[in-house]
Amino acid sequence: MNVLLAITGSISAYKTPWLVRDLRRAGHSVRVVMSASATHFVAPLALESVSMQPVIVDPFDPTIQDRGSWHVHLARWADVMLIAPCSASTLARLANGLCDSAVMTVACSLPSTTPLLVAPAMDTDMWQHTAVQRNVQRVQHDGAIIIPPEEGELASGLQGAGRLAELGTIVDAVSRMRAENSGERTIPAATHPTGLAGRRVVITAGPTHEAIDDVRYIGNHSTGTMGFALAEAARDRGALVTLIAGPVHLPTPVGIERIDVTSAVEMHERTMEHADHDVAICAAAVADFMPVDRVVGKIKKDTVAATEHTTLILQRTPDILAALGAQKRPQQVVVGFALESTDLVDYATSKLERKNADMIVANLAGGLQSGFGTTDNTITLITRSAPPESFPPMSKAACANIILDAIERLLPPYDL
Ligand code: C5P
């Protein structure tokens, strides 16, 4: 998405180069507009470097004018506008539609269908001031989405509410706009996604290696990136994640239970121990075939003459996704992946039925922005409840959030 980031005068503006980096890593294009006071806390040049776009501070800068309509064109470029950090005075300007800065002229030019996210940051007493709270309510009532500040240590040395929301929370809130942005700007106040909080999620990831002898195996090029990204994103939403990982070279994400396995049989056994989880996501590229007999030691090359052929007798591996689907309870959500080279939607839809899954994440094999070992993925979500939904290429982390949003929509409400 095109994200227009407006930075205003709070000390937490020093975090915004990282915010730009994380938004870009989540697959978004970012352009930055700043208030004059924000430039005391973070240099425009730093933001220009990380966004790779010119930064606007002065609304009368002759180089940006676009015949005096730069603010209109920039506002129309944006799929989302994010004000982070939003100072008390910018909240007051927003509440009153006061266009006396570059940030405000563009905010007031935003089409009514473009979401406006506002992440306030200030000291506790300022945040709790009656006028500030009145402005927050007014801005929210006008359709902006408030990403509330968090409690903690403040720049003043005091403790309390007012810290800029964690960067991950802000990036998630922006990414969710893709799915939710339909119709007028009347979306309710943003909260961190909670549909997975406290739920148990099991995820398979990576390839499996099927031993031929003690030194050789059948495997594939899966790196596990998609499964690990899903595990991290689910953890960030408060889920209790068990990651069943095939042989991959990825570090264990903090706060996740990881079980390492090698073969499909092992992955099947260990996954089925967690088959009672609320959500199961089979992101592993499980080998389809394994040798019927594993040779002890190393098969000697010389047992086959240079002109002869030899045969490996193979059998099918257990299908973990189908096994999970077969014993699925009505409240559980089971999700699989389908890597196809043609007829993506047809094959994925038949896989949904055959394996009794609730959703199939289909992606095209062989594309530059899809498949094994790539940083990006190009996904289509297939469910029973909605027509297939295709997304443009984006980072696997951003895909993970889209997949989890869809899973949250499939989950039953919490038992209260
Ligand atoms: O049948 P196919 O391999 O195309 O299905 C892919 C989906 O099924 C993926 O979600 C994959 O993780 C899962 N799968 C599995 N066990 C297998 C083969 C595939 O869980 N043996």
Short mmCIF file of all heavy atoms in Angstrom, two decimals, residues 18-68:
data_model
loop_
_atom_site.label_atom_id
_atom_site.label_comp_id
_atom_site.label_asym_id
_atom_site.label_seq_id
_atom_site.Cartn_x
_atom_site.Cartn_y
_atom_site.Cartn_z
N TRP A 18 13.00 4.01 11.96
CA TRP A 18 12.74 2.57 12.10
C TRP A 18 11.31 2.24 11.65
O TRP A 18 11.07 1.21 11.07
CB TRP A 18 12.92 2.12 13.56
CG TRP A 18 14.35 1.97 13.95
CD1 TRP A 18 15.18 0.93 13.69
CD2 TRP A 18 15.13 2.93 14.68
NE1 TRP A 18 16.42 1.17 14.22
CE2 TRP A 18 16.43 2.38 14.84
CE3 TRP A 18 14.86 4.18 15.23
CZ2 TRP A 18 17.44 3.04 15.50
CZ3 TRP A 18 15.88 4.84 15.89
CH2 TRP A 18 17.15 4.28 16.02
N LEU A 19 10.39 3.16 11.94
CA LEU A 19 9.00 2.94 11.52
C LEU A 19 8.92 2.86 10.00
O LEU A 19 8.26 1.97 9.43
CB LEU A 19 8.11 4.07 12.07
CG LEU A 19 6.64 4.01 11.69
CD1 LEU A 19 5.99 2.71 12.17
CD2 LEU A 19 5.88 5.21 12.29
N VAL A 20 9.63 3.77 9.33
CA VAL A 20 9.64 3.76 7.85
C VAL A 20 10.23 2.44 7.37
O VAL A 20 9.69 1.78 6.48
CB VAL A 20 10.44 4.96 7.30
CG1 VAL A 20 10.61 4.84 5.79
CG2 VAL A 20 9.75 6.27 7.65
N ARG A 21 11.33 2.04 7.99
CA ARG A 21 11.97 0.77 7.57
C ARG A 21 11.00 -0.40 7.74
O ARG A 21 10.83 -1.21 6.83
CB ARG A 21 13.21 0.54 8.45
CG ARG A 21 13.96 -0.74 8.12
CD ARG A 21 14.85 -1.18 9.25
NE ARG A 21 14.08 -1.45 10.45
CZ ARG A 21 14.60 -1.79 11.62
NH1 ARG A 21 15.91 -1.86 11.76
NH2 ARG A 21 13.84 -2.03 12.67
N ASP A 22 10.30 -0.46 8.89
CA ASP A 22 9.40 -1.59 9.14
C ASP A 22 8.19 -1.56 8.20
O ASP A 22 7.71 -2.60 7.76
CB ASP A 22 8.93 -1.59 10.60
CG ASP A 22 10.07 -1.94 11.54
OD1 ASP A 22 11.16 -2.29 11.05
OD2 ASP A 22 9.89 -1.85 12.77
N LEU A 23 7.69 -0.36 7.91
CA LEU A 23 6.57 -0.27 6.96
C LEU A 23 7.02 -0.76 5.59
O LEU A 23 6.30 -1.48 4.90
CB LEU A 23 6.08 1.18 6.86
CG LEU A 23 5.25 1.69 8.06
CD1 LEU A 23 5.11 3.21 8.01
CD2 LEU A 23 3.87 1.03 8.08
N ARG A 24 8.23 -0.38 5.20
CA ARG A 24 8.72 -0.81 3.88
C ARG A 24 8.95 -2.32 3.88
O ARG A 24 8.64 -3.01 2.92
CB ARG A 24 10.00 -0.05 3.50
CG ARG A 24 9.69 1.45 3.29
CD ARG A 24 10.82 2.19 2.66
NE ARG A 24 11.01 1.75 1.29
CZ ARG A 24 12.19 1.65 0.70
NH1 ARG A 24 13.30 1.94 1.35
NH2 ARG A 24 12.27 1.25 -0.54
N ARG A 25 9.47 -2.84 5.00
CA ARG A 25 9.67 -4.30 5.07
C ARG A 25 8.35 -5.04 5.01
O ARG A 25 8.30 -6.20 4.59
CB ARG A 25 10.39 -4.67 6.38
CG ARG A 25 11.86 -4.41 6.29
CD ARG A 25 12.56 -4.95 7.51
NE ARG A 25 13.98 -4.67 7.44
CZ ARG A 25 14.82 -4.79 8.44
NH1 ARG A 25 14.39 -5.18 9.62
NH2 ARG A 25 16.09 -4.52 8.29
N ALA A 26 7.28 -4.39 5.48
CA ALA A 26 5.95 -5.02 5.42
C ALA A 26 5.34 -4.88 4.02
O ALA A 26 4.20 -5.26 3.80
CB ALA A 26 5.03 -4.42 6.47
N GLY A 27 6.10 -4.33 3.09
CA GLY A 27 5.65 -4.30 1.70
C GLY A 27 5.03 -2.98 1.26
O GLY A 27 4.49 -2.89 0.16
N HIS A 28 5.08 -1.94 2.13
CA HIS A 28 4.43 -0.67 1.79
C HIS A 28 5.43 0.31 1.18
O HIS A 28 6.62 0.28 1.48
CB HIS A 28 3.82 -0.04 3.03
CG HIS A 28 2.90 -0.96 3.77
ND1 HIS A 28 1.75 -1.47 3.20
CD2 HIS A 28 2.95 -1.52 5.01
CE1 HIS A 28 1.14 -2.27 4.05
NE2 HIS A 28 1.85 -2.32 5.16
N SER A 29 4.91 1.22 0.32
CA SER A 29 5.70 2.37 -0.13
C SER A 29 5.40 3.51 0.85
O SER A 29 4.24 3.70 1.21
CB SER A 29 5.28 2.83 -1.51
OG SER A 29 5.44 1.78 -2.41
N VAL A 30 6.43 4.25 1.22
CA VAL A 30 6.22 5.28 2.25
C VAL A 30 6.69 6.63 1.75
O VAL A 30 7.79 6.74 1.20
CB VAL A 30 7.00 4.92 3.55
CG1 VAL A 30 6.72 5.95 4.65
CG2 VAL A 30 6.62 3.53 4.04
N ARG A 31 5.85 7.65 1.93
CA ARG A 31 6.28 9.03 1.71
C ARG A 31 6.06 9.80 3.00
O ARG A 31 5.11 9.53 3.74
CB ARG A 31 5.52 9.66 0.54
CG ARG A 31 5.87 8.94 -0.76
CD ARG A 31 5.47 9.69 -1.97
NE ARG A 31 6.10 11.01 -2.01
CZ ARG A 31 5.82 11.92 -2.93
NH1 ARG A 31 4.94 11.65 -3.87
NH2 ARG A 31 6.41 13.09 -2.91
N VAL A 32 6.97 10.75 3.26
CA VAL A 32 6.97 11.39 4.58
C VAL A 32 6.70 12.88 4.45
O VAL A 32 7.26 13.56 3.58
CB VAL A 32 8.34 11.17 5.27
CG1 VAL A 32 8.40 11.93 6.60
CG2 VAL A 32 8.59 9.69 5.50
N VAL A 33 5.84 13.38 5.34
CA VAL A 33 5.63 14.81 5.48
C VAL A 33 5.82 15.10 6.98
O VAL A 33 5.44 14.29 7.82
CB VAL A 33 4.24 15.22 4.92
CG1 VAL A 33 3.12 14.44 5.52
CG2 VAL A 33 3.99 16.69 5.07
N MET A 34 6.48 16.22 7.30
CA MET A 34 6.82 16.48 8.71
C MET A 34 6.39 17.89 9.11
O MET A 34 6.39 18.80 8.28
CB MET A 34 8.35 16.43 8.92
CG MET A 34 8.96 15.12 8.60
SD MET A 34 10.78 15.22 8.67
CE MET A 34 11.06 15.30 10.43
N SER A 35 6.10 18.05 10.40
CA SER A 35 5.88 19.41 10.90
C SER A 35 7.25 20.01 11.18
O SER A 35 8.25 19.28 11.36
CB SER A 35 5.03 19.39 12.16
OG SER A 35 5.77 18.85 13.22
N ALA A 36 7.29 21.35 11.26
CA ALA A 36 8.58 22.01 11.52
C ALA A 36 9.15 21.55 12.86
O ALA A 36 10.35 21.31 13.00
CB ALA A 36 8.40 23.52 11.49
N SER A 37 8.29 21.40 13.88
CA SER A 37 8.84 21.02 15.19
C SER A 37 9.38 19.59 15.17
O SER A 37 10.33 19.28 15.91
CB SER A 37 7.84 21.24 16.31
OG SER A 37 6.57 20.86 15.93
N ALA A 38 8.83 18.72 14.33
CA ALA A 38 9.35 17.34 14.27
C ALA A 38 10.82 17.34 13.84
O ALA A 38 11.59 16.45 14.22
CB ALA A 38 8.51 16.50 13.32
N THR A 39 11.20 18.35 13.03
CA THR A 39 12.58 18.35 12.51
C THR A 39 13.60 18.59 13.63
O THR A 39 14.79 18.40 13.43
CB THR A 39 12.77 19.41 11.41
OG1 THR A 39 12.56 20.70 11.99
CG2 THR A 39 11.82 19.22 10.25
N HIS A 40 13.13 19.04 14.82
CA HIS A 40 14.05 19.18 15.96
C HIS A 40 14.39 17.82 16.57
O HIS A 40 15.36 17.69 17.31
CB HIS A 40 13.43 20.08 17.04
CG HIS A 40 13.29 21.51 16.59
ND1 HIS A 40 14.36 22.37 16.54
CD2 HIS A 40 12.22 22.20 16.15
CE1 HIS A 40 13.94 23.55 16.09
NE2 HIS A 40 12.64 23.47 15.85
N PHE A 41 13.55 16.83 16.31
CA PHE A 41 13.76 15.51 16.93
C PHE A 41 14.32 14.47 15.98
O PHE A 41 14.87 13.47 16.40
CB PHE A 41 12.43 15.00 17.51
CG PHE A 41 11.83 15.93 18.52
CD1 PHE A 41 10.68 16.65 18.23
CD2 PHE A 41 12.42 16.09 19.76
CE1 PHE A 41 10.13 17.52 19.15
CE2 PHE A 41 11.88 16.95 20.70
CZ PHE A 41 10.73 17.67 20.39
N VAL A 42 14.12 14.69 14.68
CA VAL A 42 14.64 13.72 13.69
C VAL A 42 14.91 14.49 12.40
O VAL A 42 14.12 15.36 12.00
CB VAL A 42 13.65 12.54 13.50
CG1 VAL A 42 12.30 12.99 12.99
CG2 VAL A 42 14.22 11.48 12.57
N ALA A 43 16.03 14.18 11.77
CA ALA A 43 16.43 14.95 10.59
C ALA A 43 15.65 14.51 9.34
O ALA A 43 15.55 13.30 9.08
CB ALA A 43 17.92 14.79 10.35
N PRO A 44 15.13 15.46 8.57
CA PRO A 44 14.45 15.09 7.32
C PRO A 44 15.32 14.23 6.41
O PRO A 44 14.84 13.32 5.75
CB PRO A 44 14.13 16.45 6.68
CG PRO A 44 14.07 17.41 7.82
CD PRO A 44 15.05 16.91 8.84
N LEU A 45 16.64 14.50 6.44
CA LEU A 45 17.53 13.75 5.56
C LEU A 45 17.53 12.25 5.91
O LEU A 45 17.61 11.39 5.04
CB LEU A 45 18.95 14.33 5.64
CG LEU A 45 19.96 13.72 4.67
CD1 LEU A 45 19.50 13.84 3.22
CD2 LEU A 45 21.32 14.41 4.85
N ALA A 46 17.43 11.96 7.23
CA ALA A 46 17.39 10.55 7.65
C ALA A 46 16.15 9.88 7.05
O ALA A 46 16.20 8.75 6.55
CB ALA A 46 17.37 10.46 9.17
N LEU A 47 15.03 10.61 7.10
CA LEU A 47 13.78 10.03 6.59
C LEU A 47 13.80 9.92 5.07
O LEU A 47 13.24 8.99 4.50
CB LEU A 47 12.60 10.87 7.09
CG LEU A 47 12.46 10.65 8.59
CD1 LEU A 47 11.90 11.85 9.28
CD2 LEU A 47 11.64 9.40 8.86
N GLU A 48 14.45 10.89 4.44
CA GLU A 48 14.58 10.82 2.99
C GLU A 48 15.39 9.57 2.60
O GLU A 48 15.07 8.88 1.65
CB GLU A 48 15.27 12.10 2.49
CG GLU A 48 15.30 12.20 1.00
CD GLU A 48 15.66 13.62 0.53
OE1 GLU A 48 15.25 14.59 1.19
OE2 GLU A 48 16.37 13.71 -0.47
N SER A 49 16.44 9.30 3.40
CA SER A 49 17.29 8.14 3.08
C SER A 49 16.54 6.84 3.23
O SER A 49 16.64 5.96 2.39
CB SER A 49 18.51 8.10 4.01
OG SER A 49 19.17 9.31 3.94
N VAL A 50 15.77 6.69 4.34
CA VAL A 50 15.11 5.39 4.54
C VAL A 50 13.87 5.22 3.68
O VAL A 50 13.52 4.11 3.29
CB VAL A 50 14.75 5.12 6.03
CG1 VAL A 50 15.96 4.74 6.83
CG2 VAL A 50 14.02 6.28 6.66
N SER A 51 13.18 6.34 3.36
CA SER A 51 11.98 6.21 2.52
C SER A 51 12.33 6.23 1.04
O SER A 51 11.55 5.82 0.20
CB SER A 51 10.98 7.34 2.81
OG SER A 51 11.49 8.58 2.38
N MET A 52 13.54 6.74 0.73
CA MET A 52 14.00 6.91 -0.65
C MET A 52 13.08 7.85 -1.43
O MET A 52 12.88 7.68 -2.64
CB MET A 52 14.14 5.54 -1.34
CG MET A 52 15.14 4.67 -0.61
SD MET A 52 15.25 3.01 -1.26
CE MET A 52 16.21 3.30 -2.70
N GLN A 53 12.48 8.79 -0.72
CA GLN A 53 11.58 9.78 -1.34
C GLN A 53 11.89 11.13 -0.71
O GLN A 53 12.26 11.19 0.47
CB GLN A 53 10.11 9.45 -1.02
CG GLN A 53 9.61 8.14 -1.58
CD GLN A 53 9.38 8.21 -3.08
OE1 GLN A 53 9.30 9.29 -3.66
NE2 GLN A 53 9.31 7.05 -3.71
N PRO A 54 11.67 12.24 -1.44
CA PRO A 54 11.85 13.55 -0.82
C PRO A 54 10.87 13.73 0.34
O PRO A 54 9.76 13.20 0.30
CB PRO A 54 11.54 14.54 -1.96
CG PRO A 54 11.18 13.75 -3.14
CD PRO A 54 11.22 12.29 -2.82
N VAL A 55 11.31 14.47 1.35
CA VAL A 55 10.48 14.70 2.54
C VAL A 55 9.94 16.13 2.49
O VAL A 55 10.69 17.06 2.18
CB VAL A 55 11.32 14.47 3.81
CG1 VAL A 55 10.59 14.93 5.05
CG2 VAL A 55 11.67 12.98 3.92
N ILE A 56 8.66 16.31 2.80
CA ILE A 56 8.06 17.65 2.74
C ILE A 56 7.91 18.22 4.15
O ILE A 56 7.36 17.55 5.03
CB ILE A 56 6.69 17.59 2.04
CG1 ILE A 56 6.88 17.14 0.59
CG2 ILE A 56 5.97 18.93 2.11
CD1 ILE A 56 5.60 16.91 -0.18
N VAL A 57 8.44 19.42 4.34
CA VAL A 57 8.28 20.11 5.63
C VAL A 57 7.55 21.44 5.40
O VAL A 57 6.57 21.74 6.07
CB VAL A 57 9.66 20.37 6.30
CG1 VAL A 57 9.46 21.09 7.63
CG2 VAL A 57 10.43 19.07 6.50
N ASP A 58 8.02 22.21 4.41
CA ASP A 58 7.47 23.55 4.17
C ASP A 58 6.40 23.47 3.07
O ASP A 58 6.70 23.11 1.93
CB ASP A 58 8.64 24.45 3.74
CG ASP A 58 8.16 25.82 3.30
OD1 ASP A 58 6.96 26.12 3.47
OD2 ASP A 58 8.99 26.58 2.77
N PRO A 59 5.15 23.82 3.41
CA PRO A 59 4.08 23.71 2.39
C PRO A 59 4.29 24.66 1.21
O PRO A 59 3.69 24.46 0.15
CB PRO A 59 2.81 24.07 3.16
CG PRO A 59 3.26 24.79 4.38
CD PRO A 59 4.63 24.30 4.70
N PHE A 60 5.16 25.68 1.41
CA PHE A 60 5.40 26.65 0.32
C PHE A 60 6.73 26.41 -0.41
O PHE A 60 7.15 27.24 -1.20
CB PHE A 60 5.32 28.07 0.87
CG PHE A 60 3.98 28.35 1.50
CD1 PHE A 60 3.84 28.45 2.87
CD2 PHE A 60 2.85 28.45 0.70
CE1 PHE A 60 2.60 28.66 3.44
CE2 PHE A 60 1.59 28.66 1.27
CZ PHE A 60 1.46 28.77 2.65
N ASP A 61 7.36 25.27 -0.12
CA ASP A 61 8.62 24.92 -0.79
C ASP A 61 8.39 24.96 -2.31
O ASP A 61 7.54 24.22 -2.84
CB ASP A 61 9.01 23.50 -0.32
CG ASP A 61 10.27 22.98 -0.99
OD1 ASP A 61 10.71 23.60 -1.99
OD2 ASP A 61 10.79 21.96 -0.52
N PRO A 62 9.10 25.86 -3.04
CA PRO A 62 8.82 26.00 -4.47
C PRO A 62 9.08 24.71 -5.27
O PRO A 62 8.50 24.52 -6.34
CB PRO A 62 9.77 27.12 -4.92
CG PRO A 62 10.72 27.33 -3.80
CD PRO A 62 10.14 26.76 -2.55
N THR A 63 9.90 23.79 -4.73
CA THR A 63 10.23 22.59 -5.51
C THR A 63 9.12 21.54 -5.50
O THR A 63 9.18 20.55 -6.21
CB THR A 63 11.53 21.93 -5.00
OG1 THR A 63 11.29 21.47 -3.66
CG2 THR A 63 12.70 22.89 -5.02
N ILE A 64 8.11 21.72 -4.63
CA ILE A 64 7.09 20.65 -4.51
C ILE A 64 5.72 21.06 -5.04
O ILE A 64 4.77 20.29 -4.99
CB ILE A 64 6.91 20.23 -3.03
CG1 ILE A 64 6.40 21.42 -2.19
CG2 ILE A 64 8.18 19.63 -2.47
CD1 ILE A 64 5.87 21.02 -0.84
N GLN A 65 5.61 22.29 -5.54
CA GLN A 65 4.29 22.90 -5.69
C GLN A 65 3.29 22.15 -6.57
O GLN A 65 2.12 22.09 -6.27
CB GLN A 65 4.44 24.35 -6.17
CG GLN A 65 4.89 25.26 -5.04
CD GLN A 65 4.10 25.02 -3.75
OE1 GLN A 65 2.88 24.92 -3.76
NE2 GLN A 65 4.80 24.90 -2.62
N ASP A 66 3.72 21.55 -7.68
CA ASP A 66 2.76 20.87 -8.55
C ASP A 66 1.59 21.82 -8.87
O ASP A 66 0.42 21.50 -8.69
CB ASP A 66 2.24 19.60 -7.82
CG ASP A 66 1.92 18.49 -8.80
OD1 ASP A 66 2.04 18.73 -10.01
OD2 ASP A 66 1.56 17.39 -8.33
N ARG A 67 1.93 23.02 -9.29
CA ARG A 67 0.98 24.13 -9.54
C ARG A 67 0.11 24.41 -8.32
O ARG A 67 -1.09 24.67 -8.41
CB ARG A 67 0.12 23.83 -10.77
CG ARG A 67 0.92 23.89 -12.08
CD ARG A 67 0.00 23.74 -13.25
NE ARG A 67 -0.75 22.50 -13.10
CZ ARG A 67 -0.51 21.39 -13.77
NH1 ARG A 67 0.41 21.36 -14.67
NH2 ARG A 67 -1.20 20.32 -13.57
N GLY A 68 0.72 24.35 -7.15
CA GLY A 68 0.01 24.72 -5.92
C GLY A 68 -0.86 23.61 -5.35
O GLY A 68 -1.50 23.80 -4.32
#
